[in-house]
Amino acid sequence: MTPKHQDSVIFDGSWLSLDDIHAIAIGAKQARLSDDPAFCERIEKGSRFIDQLLAEDGVVYGVTTGYGDSCTVEIPPALVQELPHHLYTYHGCGAGRFLDAVETRAVLATRLASLCRGVSGVSLALLRQLAALLKHDILPLIPAEGSVGASGDLTPLSYVAAALCGEREVTHRGERCAAADALKAAGLAPLRLRPKEGLAIMNGTAVMTALACLAWPRADYASRLCSRLTAMNVAAAAGNAHHFDEALFAVKPHPGQQRIAARIRADLEAPRPSRNDSRLQDRYSLRCAPHVIGVLEDALPFLRGLIENELNSANDNPIIDADEERVLHGGHFYGGHIAFAMDSLKNAVANLADLMDRQMALLVDTRYNNGLPRNLSGASPERAPINHGLKALQISVSAWTAEALKQTMPASVFSRSTECHNQDKVSMGTIAARDALRVLELTEQVLAALLITARQGVELRGEIAELSLSPALERMQRDLAARIPRIAEDRALDRELQQLLAAIRAQAWSLYA
């Protein structure tokens, strides 16, 4: 296990979790490079081996040859030292939005984790400079678009390499500035890359993996929140709590699905109100909620394994085995596992948005909500004709859900042959990761709207019939009532939605053990 101080994560080549990367990204912990002599010697041994190969006129891809399809181009000895700087220079062609501060810290930490494995042929000075960017919060401005996910995240990571060398732009102390100025302000000198180091920084899966490390906790929380919202919506709709019976779920042994049913069952432990119709079975969005949420719940441990294996991998090329004095040329920069993980995750998360959209549709419709007011309006009878409750909110939820579902086309199936057919099969892992984050963003917007819906629905149900809530639902309802006043007269809800979104992303509610 990686030794950790309470406020830091130590980078020494030991196993890291996605929680470590997430904690560094949000500023909860600091990244610290190990000063253990054995670790330092392991790193420097790889760098010395590169020097030895150069002295012996060895041929090493990306060191004494050009890059990619240009691997047949021999680099004259006098130009070898310049080659790494040309690599990040010509890859400065990214586009789209810049990664935000949290995402950028995750990228820096993820690349540092891989290079600390000790098989990339980099110097200790490079690792120290990378760790210093995190320490001083000097964050390269990294365009989100331009990576095909093999040979790794070349173009976005070129902005990391450039910043290490005092080139391009960064944010520092919340201000955009030249990288050279930020390094100077922190007492750092621009790095001069050694042979192989430009390739080592750029030729890996750090961007897609970093984004995956941020996506996974959000998906896990969405699963928990959907379980709680389902229980509240069953209570609001005067639904049938027996749909979540333990004996019922014992005969379909998906553990994640069973876990979701147990959560909802515990939330509905209080007696349900008497029903006012003869339906034995609620509609699927209530009855089958564990089957929908359970897909994500069962996938999460597997997806975490894929992400953390990639996080703890050496994923550049070539691999430098200094112990055996070998240079191993391969394709570890290929991001197929992250592409699969993120394509899978975004599909399962979008289904949560769809589930919540359907639950809301039941609650606002007097044909299906078992006696609740139209559009869950809390207006008095004399004011009801001109008040519209959650009508517009439900339209917005449908829009966000549709967009989330539209994003679920797998990115990994859109491989394009590129770079003179050298990169003729690529992963598109970074596109998949960006898609997953967008689906999560949209789904969280749906969840924020459903918090308003559930809070309103539960209160209105309690005015129609005696409603006894479990302690967990009672606490949740009180919390939401404090955040969201009852919607009686029509009012704009956008500010409350943003406040709830912030609460969701801060994981403000403790949901299940």
Side-chain angles (χ1 to χ4, degrees):
M1 295 295 292
T2 305
K4 296 179 180 66
H5 301 294
Q6 185 176 3
D7 64 344
S8 64
V9 177
I10 307 301
F11 286 73
D12 61 0
S14 297
W15 187 270
L16 297 175
S17 72
L18 63 83
D19 302 310
D20 293 324
I21 301 301
H22 183 263
I24 292 168
I26 64 174
K29 291 191 176 182
Q30 294 294 315
R32 299 186 187 277
L33 185 67
S34 173
D35 57 3
D36 178 72
F39 167 72
C40 295
E41 170 57 22
R42 175 169 170 76
I43 297 299
E44 293 289 37
K45 187 175 184 179
S47 185
R48 290 197 303 269
F49 179 51
I50 294 291
D51 290 342
Q52 176 187 329
L53 289 172
L54 289 173
E56 296 173 353
D57 295 324
V59 177
V60 181
Y61 167 72
V63 178
T64 60
T65 76
Y67 299 113
D69 183 64
S70 301
C71 65
T72 58
V73 177
E74 183 177 345
I75 306 299
L79 300 180
V80 165
Q81 299 297 326
E82 293 185 48
L83 186 61
H85 292 262
H86 276 260
L87 179 62
Y88 72 69
T89 298
Y90 80 80
H91 270 288
C93 54
R97 71 172 180 91
F98 291 118
L99 299 185
D100 65 26
V102 171
E103 293 166 336
T104 304
R105 290 187 201 104
V107 169
L108 296 178
T110 299
R111 199 75 207 116
L112 182 60
S114 181
L115 297 180
C116 283
R117 305 303 297 174
V119 291
S120 297
V122 302
S123 64
L124 199 57
L126 184 148
L127 299 185
R128 285 172 175 161
Q129 186 87 331
L130 195 51
L133 294 188
L134 283 165
K135 177 181 178 181
H136 297 284
D137 213 30
I138 298 172
L139 305 179
L141 289 176
I142 303 175
E145 299 170 11
S147 173
V148 295
S151 297
D153 290 313
L154 289 168
T155 289
L157 287 175
S158 77
Y159 292 79
V160 175
L164 292 169
C165 300
E167 298 183 30
R168 301 185 194 166
E169 289 188 303
V170 300
T171 59
H172 183 224
R173 298 171 180 165
E175 299 292 330
R176 182 169 174 172
C177 63
D181 292 340
L183 292 178
K184 183 178 180 180
L188 302 169
L191 193 68
R192 184 69 186 174
L193 296 178
R194 293 167 49 83
K196 173 66 169 67
E197 289 190 334
L199 195 61
I201 296 165
M202 293 167 52
N203 193 198
T205 60
V207 175
M208 67 180 82
T209 305
L211 298 183
C213 287
L214 299 178
W216 193 95
R218 290 171 69 176
D220 177 64
Y221 194 72
S223 172
R224 296 169 185 272
L225 188 51
C226 279
S227 302
R228 173 60 49 81
L229 283 167
T230 294
M232 294 185 74
N233 290 338
V234 168
N240 187 346
H242 297 294
H243 291 324
F244 313 103
D245 187 86
E246 184 174 9
L248 175 65
F249 279 87
V251 301
K252 192 170 187 184
H254 297 295
Q257 177 178 283
Q258 291 177 329
R259 190 157 53 248
I260 299 300
R263 290 173 180 172
I264 298 171
R265 184 167 62 248
D267 279 347
L268 294 173
E269 65 183 18
R272 300 267 47 79
S274 60
R275 297 181 56 82
N276 59 7
D277 65 34
S278 59
R279 292 181 62 87
L280 292 176
Q281 300 187 143
D282 291 327
R283 286 168 174 81
Y284 286 11
S285 61
L286 296 176
R287 191 194 338 163
C288 299
H291 308 77
V292 177
I293 308 169
V295 173
L296 174 61
E297 190 71 14
D298 275 308
L300 282 170
F302 172 67
L303 300 180
R304 182 181 185 121
L306 295 183
I307 296 166
E308 290 186 338
N309 278 338
E310 191 70 32
L311 169 64
N312 289 281
S313 71
N315 46 63
D316 57 309
N317 175 56
I319 296 300
I320 306 301
D321 182 357
D323 291 336
E324 298 296 327
E325 296 191 340
R326 293 190 301 170
V327 178
L328 305 171
H329 295 87
H332 286 351
F333 47 70
Y334 192 87
H337 284 82
I338 296 296
F340 177 81
M342 293 295 95
D343 277 344
S344 302
L345 183 138
K346 72 188 186 187
N347 180 300
V349 169
N351 269 287
L352 301 191
D354 196 29
L355 179 73
M356 293 294 102
D357 175 53
R358 295 299 83 208
Q359 288 185 10
M360 184 176 186
L362 292 180
L363 285 171
V364 299
D365 194 328
T366 54
R367 294 172 296 177
Y368 310 114
N369 65 16
N370 292 315
L372 293 174
R374 182 180 293 107
N375 296 307
L376 295 185
S377 172
S380 62
E382 60 272 20
R383 301 284 296 171
I386 64 167
N387 279 285
H388 297 80
L390 305 186
K391 180 187 285 287
L393 186 61
Q394 199 249 333
I395 295 171
S396 291
V397 165
S398 289
W400 301 329
T401 299
E403 187 173 347
L405 294 169
K406 182 178 72 68
Q407 295 279 350
T408 58
M409 174 69 76
S412 56
V413 302
F414 287 96
S415 175
R416 311 294 299 155
S417 182
T418 187
E419 205 257 307
C420 300
H421 294 290
N422 175 53
Q423 299 177 13
D424 60 346
K425 179 72 176 89
V426 294
S427 75
M428 300 300 183
T430 310
I431 297 174
R434 288 193 292 107
D435 282 350
L437 289 175
R438 177 59 178 155
V439 169
L440 280 160
E441 181 179 44
L442 291 160
T443 300
E444 287 163 351
Q445 290 172 193
V446 171
L447 293 174
L450 263 292
L451 287 169
I452 295 174
T453 305
R455 174 262 186 273
Q456 185 88 347
V458 167
E459 179 169 309
L460 293 174
R461 176 61 61 190
E463 295 172 0
I464 295 171
E466 183 180 351
L467 182 59
S468 178
L469 298 176
S470 68
L473 292 195
E474 183 64 41
R475 286 192 300 271
M476 190 77 177
Q477 180 69 2
R478 281 200 307 270
D479 180 281
L480 293 176
R483 296 172 187 265
I484 316 159
R486 176 191 177 102
I487 301 169
E489 292 292 309
D490 289 340
R491 68 173 188 265
L493 296 171
D494 46 1
R495 289 187 180 180
E496 286 161 305
L497 279 169
Q498 291 303 316
Q499 290 167 356
L500 290 169
L501 264 177
I504 290 169
R505 289 167 185 162
Q507 300 191 3
W509 298 280
S510 179
L511 301 171
Y512 314 108

